[in-house]
Amino acid sequence: MNNNKPRQLRNIGVIAHVDAGKTTTSERILFYTGESHRIGDVNAGTTQLDFDPQERKRGITINSAATTVHWNGVQINLIDTPGHIDFNIEVNRSLRVLDGAVVVFDGVAGVEPQTETNWRLADQYRVPRIAFINKLDRVGADFLRVVAMMEERLGTKVLPLQLPIGTEGDFRGVVDLVGLRALVWARDDAREPYAVTEIPAPLMALAQAHRARLVEAAVEQDDAALNAYLNGDAVDEATLRACIRRATLTGAFVPALAGSAFRNRGVEPLLDAVVDYLPSPSDVLRAEGTPASDPQGPFAALAFKLVADDHGAKVFVRVYRGRLKRGDSVLNASTGRHERVARLYEVHADAHVEREELVAGDIAAIVGLKDTLTGHTLCDPAHPLHLEEISVPEPVIDVAIEPKTRDDLTGLSKALHALLREDPSLRMRQDAESGQTILSGMGELQLEVSVEKLRARFGVEVLVGRPQVAYRETITRAVEVYHVHKKQSGGPGQFAQVTLRFAPLARGEGVRFASEVVGGAVPREFIPAVEQGIQRAAQTGAIAGAPVVDFEATLLDGAFHERDSSTLAFELAAFAAAREAFAKAEPVVLEPVMAVEVVTPVEHLGDVIGDLHRRRGHVRGQGQRGNAAVVDAQVPLAEMFGYIGHLRALSSGRAQYTMQFDHYAVAPASVVAEMAQR
């Protein structure tokens, strides 16, 4: 794993919408590279990468799983990521540390909502991609239609490197446009290699047209190749591959490959493309100027995942610079604390191989770190460095949980804190009115899985309330408030005076705090207490008791007493001032609005659209996918509970839908009034 020669290491992820065949593709990669001697089956619950009991029971990926394989002398560190929107944090933090990605598309459905979300995340982290258009053996599959759909919906240039031979059930191979040859699989047996043959005559004209377009786009990446091409010289295969690689790394275009992973067709050429076109760590330069692989520099790594199991708390890291040995002491630059490395592991799904050393470019696990969480930077104490952190989405759904018995009370608290350390997209708070523990997440499935973990992993039985929408509140105008906290009766006195300005921020900006105090009106040591009081007040809004977001609080002035002032006094003063401001600043309730895509038979289109309108939905557009209609809408989450049952009834069980969080919007007065009556 310590091979740091250029282009001998690939750190890649496999990403897709749920049920596009991502884990099936990953399992074939394990088989063809010799890492596994049997092919795991999602439906049979025998996959290696979906090893968690809940994953095998549900038939979906919940946790990202890392493994290492080798292909043609190149080591590939692979992370298989979830496709369900509720577990998007796993995709988010994986893409942050990966150098390249294989995006799997369903050959029938094409670009689905979660694919689009994952694509935008890859854009955000500047991750080069290749596309694998899968399931081309299914009825309605159309390779070139998916390519066109990618260009339209993802706003990227896509160039096929292959064309399918045969359609739907007759899909049997691909035309390799780079080598101008056909690769044909005679049977579905994964142990039988493909045959290299001549391109079928009916496909020759189409193949030559697509190759000409590929060559024309690729040679633009190299001046010498472009000049030779313009002079009429033929472009040899090696030059073409080098140009495609450069285009992939720069994002000039995305190469597209064809296949059917379930029928073991197209996986070996996909592995070749990973080696040929996706970057090695030495090809990548991070935004903060840190090379993705520098074994000679001082140690630097990013912690991107935390898992607690029988081996202890494992922190998954991507090493960007230097080396790390067992027993080394490192600085957690995010907390300022020193941590000691007890053990190092190379991870193969749920198996672990102990290592003596990690080197730049490695993705591995560390045991022994006590205070390290997702997004923390680990580095050489003599060379502190902060790497770009991992963005975490806001939760949109709540459930109230409580221990089933008194004996479960202590265990529940410990188990919840363990879950929150592992999954930063989960949040926990105490409801100010009921005193209940509220667990918040990205969706019903994520919360359901979390509750099951409490029972299965931690042995804690809980009672769970009905899922509720995670409303938020915000302010709509700026106000200035003055508050004096004074207590003189009995014991030491308390005194703190603050003047604060509260102003609204754009949606999604969160909570900001600033101080404009001059002349020591509020001593420096008390200013953090002011911020803490505001943050505590923001946990409960003035209208519905929901957290208050998207505002800026500025400490303008204040006063203190030499003897009676304290951090507690200033925290209480700021808390009271913030509560007053939230009531005065024309507060509003925000509700989560979901992006909903419904795929329905055309004859039920009118009923589906009418039902979405009744749910306060806004239909943004309609399209066609095969012989089905596609409706793109925005609908408040509160109106989507139980939707699947209504949709099945409307469409005789033939329609389906997906949804994901889109934005927070001001809730109408009728919703606020209904909340007040609860």
Side-chain angles (χ1 to χ4, degrees):
M1 196 166 179
N2 297 344
N3 187 349
N4 292 286
K5 295 179 182 179
R7 302 184 62 179
Q8 300 309 305
L9 176 63
R10 303 288 183 272
N11 289 316
I12 70 160
V14 183
I15 60 176
H17 185 91
V18 65
D19 205 31
K22 171 188 50 57
T23 297
T24 299
T25 302
S26 298
E27 290 290 326
R28 267 52 178 187
I29 288 174
L30 293 182
F31 179 81
Y32 282 109
T33 57
E35 181 63 30
S36 170
H37 297 293
R38 64 170 179 81
I39 295 178
D41 188 290
V42 173
N43 296 323
T46 58
T47 55
Q48 289 194 46
L49 295 171
D50 285 353
F51 55 84
D52 184 276
Q54 287 207 65
E55 292 178 315
R56 292 185 169 179
K57 176 183 175 182
R58 298 173 187 272
I60 61 169
T61 302
I62 294 171
N63 309 294
S64 57
T67 191
T68 298
V69 299
H70 295 82
W71 184 255
N72 292 343
V74 175
Q75 177 182 309
I76 301 172
N77 294 332
L78 181 146
I79 297 182
D80 179 47
T81 64
H84 198 287
I85 184 59
D86 283 18
F87 310 106
N88 190 242
I89 182 62
E90 295 284 342
V91 186
N92 190 339
R93 55 187 174 184
S94 295
L95 284 173
R96 169 61 184 85
V97 299
L98 292 169
D99 302 325
V102 173
V103 187
V104 181
F105 294 84
D106 185 315
V108 178
V111 180
E112 298 173 275
Q114 187 58 20
T115 318
E116 192 166 352
T117 299
N118 292 342
W119 193 273
R120 303 305 175 207
L121 277 174
D123 284 343
Q124 176 184 329
Y125 292 122
R126 302 169 297 280
V127 177
R129 281 141 276 176
I130 57 178
F132 181 60
I133 299 175
N134 189 31
K135 298 189 176 184
L136 291 177
D137 59 310
R138 292 182 58 205
V139 174
D142 188 331
F143 176 81
L144 292 178
R145 179 177 58 82
V146 175
V147 168
M149 196 176 180
M150 289 175 63
E151 295 194 322
E152 177 188 349
R153 295 190 62 169
L154 303 178
T156 190
K157 186 175 183 179
V158 184
L159 286 176
L161 302 190
Q162 300 171 346
L163 294 173
I165 299 174
T167 59
E168 300 181 343
D170 294 326
F171 171 69
R172 62 188 184 280
V174 298
V175 174
D176 173 13
L177 296 176
V178 176
L180 266 184
R181 56 183 186 163
L183 312 179
V184 177
W185 287 262
R187 295 189 299 172
D188 294 347
D189 187 353
R191 293 169 178 80
E192 185 172 313
Y194 60 78
V196 179
T197 67
E198 296 292 325
I199 297 173
L203 286 175
M204 182 57 77
L206 183 65
Q208 289 177 335
H210 277 279
R211 190 178 196 275
R213 181 169 175 257
L214 172 64
V215 170
E216 186 175 323
V219 296
E220 291 180 358
Q221 308 304 310
D222 183 271
D223 290 341
L226 179 59
N227 289 332
Y229 174 74
L230 293 176
N231 289 330
D233 296 339
V235 178
D236 62 84
E237 188 172 328
T239 299
L240 182 56
R241 290 186 188 279
C243 291
I244 294 171
R245 175 181 176 80
R246 190 170 300 172
T248 306
L249 300 191
T250 61
F253 61 77
V254 175
L257 294 90
S260 169
F262 182 73
R263 294 182 64 183
N264 308 308
R265 297 177 179 183
V267 180
E268 305 103 301
L270 173 63
L271 282 164
D272 290 336
V274 166
V275 170
D276 289 343
Y277 308 126
L278 289 181
S280 69
S282 58
D283 293 318
V284 181
L285 190 70
R286 291 294 169 191
E288 56 277 302
T290 305
S293 180
D294 178 12
Q296 306 309 319
F299 174 74
L302 184 74
F304 69 94
K305 182 175 170 121
L306 180 76
V307 175
D309 62 12
D310 296 340
H311 294 264
K314 294 198 306 291
V315 177
F316 285 77
V317 299
R318 163 67 191 270
V319 182
Y320 288 108
R321 199 171 66 185
R323 298 171 182 268
L324 180 68
K325 294 183 179 180
R326 186 172 59 176
D328 282 355
S329 178
V330 297
L331 171 67
N332 184 328
S334 305
T335 64
R337 297 178 181 177
H338 288 76
E339 303 235 42
R340 185 179 176 276
V341 175
R343 294 187 300 281
L344 304 171
Y345 287 106
E346 180 179 302
V347 180
H348 298 269
D350 58 342
H352 306 79
V353 178
E354 193 157 0
R355 294 274 301 278
E356 292 295 322
E357 182 183 51
L358 302 182
V359 182
D362 281 348
I363 291 178
I366 301 176
V367 172
L369 306 179
K370 305 296 184 186
D371 299 307
T372 300
L373 299 175
T374 295
H376 285 184
T377 298
L378 303 174
C379 58
D380 183 335
H383 298 84
L385 171 75
H386 277 277
L387 297 171
E388 177 189 356
E389 294 196 358
I390 297 169
S391 59
V392 179
E394 284 293 315
V396 296
I397 193 166
D398 298 338
V399 292
I401 58 174
E402 58 185 53
K404 203 167 190 178
T405 67
R406 188 175 295 273
D407 292 339
D408 291 317
L409 184 59
T410 304
L412 176 60
S413 178
K414 289 178 63 177
L416 282 174
H417 280 94
L419 286 183
L420 265 61
R421 279 173 58 85
E422 290 186 10
D423 187 347
S425 68
L426 287 174
R427 308 286 171 83
M428 183 179 70
R429 61 182 173 88
Q430 298 296 129
D431 186 271
E433 294 184 5
S434 68
Q436 288 179 306
T437 297
I438 306 297
L439 187 65
S440 305
M442 298 306 300
E444 291 183 77
L445 181 58
Q446 183 195 25
L447 294 176
E448 186 182 318
V449 167
S450 298
V451 168
E452 183 59 34
K453 284 181 181 178
L454 293 175
R455 297 178 177 130
R457 282 179 49 186
F458 301 100
V460 177
E461 293 293 332
V462 293
L463 299 173
V464 183
R466 289 179 57 195
Q468 303 288 332
V469 175
Y471 290 101
R472 297 286 184 265
E473 296 184 31
T474 193
I475 59 176
T476 60
R477 72 178 182 94
V479 296
E480 194 171 300
V481 290
Y482 164 85
H483 187 82
V484 179
H485 174 75
K486 185 185 296 185
K487 176 187 175 187
Q488 299 295 340
S489 58
Q494 292 183 11
F495 178 84
Q497 175 184 312
V498 293
T499 301
L500 289 159
R501 181 178 63 239
F502 290 79
L505 292 175
R507 202 71 67 239
E509 291 293 313
V511 177
R512 295 183 192 165
F513 173 77
S515 173
E516 295 180 0
V517 170
V518 294
V522 177
R524 186 179 302 172
E525 63 267 26
F526 294 146
I527 291 177
V530 174
E531 181 178 6
Q532 188 171 343
I534 294 168
Q535 292 281 4
R536 192 158 63 87
Q539 293 178 12
T540 308
I543 302 176
V548 185
V549 297
D550 301 337
F551 70 88
E552 181 177 49
T554 305
L555 178 60
L556 301 175
D557 199 1
F560 72 103
H561 189 279
E562 289 286 354
R563 188 175 60 253
D564 292 344
S565 290
S566 64
T567 55
L568 176 61
F570 272 94
E571 182 179 338
L572 292 173
F575 178 86
R579 298 290 296 160
E580 181 183 344
F582 295 154
K584 288 182 174 178
E586 298 179 5
V588 293
V589 173
L590 302 175
E591 63 177 351
V593 177
M594 313 302 283
V596 179
E597 182 182 90
V598 183
V599 181
T600 178
V602 175
E603 58 265 32
H604 301 294
L605 179 61
D607 292 336
V608 167
I609 291 176
D611 185 59
L612 290 173
H613 285 151
R614 283 189 290 274
R615 296 173 184 272
R616 296 192 285 124
H618 167 64
V619 175
R620 295 188 294 184
Q622 301 176 40
Q624 200 76 14
R625 188 173 299 165
N627 59 357
V630 181
V631 180
D632 175 23
Q634 290 180 332
V635 189
L637 175 61
E639 307 294 337
M640 292 301 292
F641 288 108
Y643 179 61
I644 186 61
H646 289 279
L647 183 62
R648 286 171 178 164
L650 283 174
S651 64
S652 302
R654 297 171 63 195
Q656 56 183 332
Y657 85 101
T658 56
M659 72 174 181
Q660 59 189 29
F661 173 71
D662 192 81
H663 66 281
Y664 269 96
V666 176
S670 58
V671 172
V672 177
E674 185 180 332
M675 293 172 65
Q677 294 173 4
R678 292 174 185 169

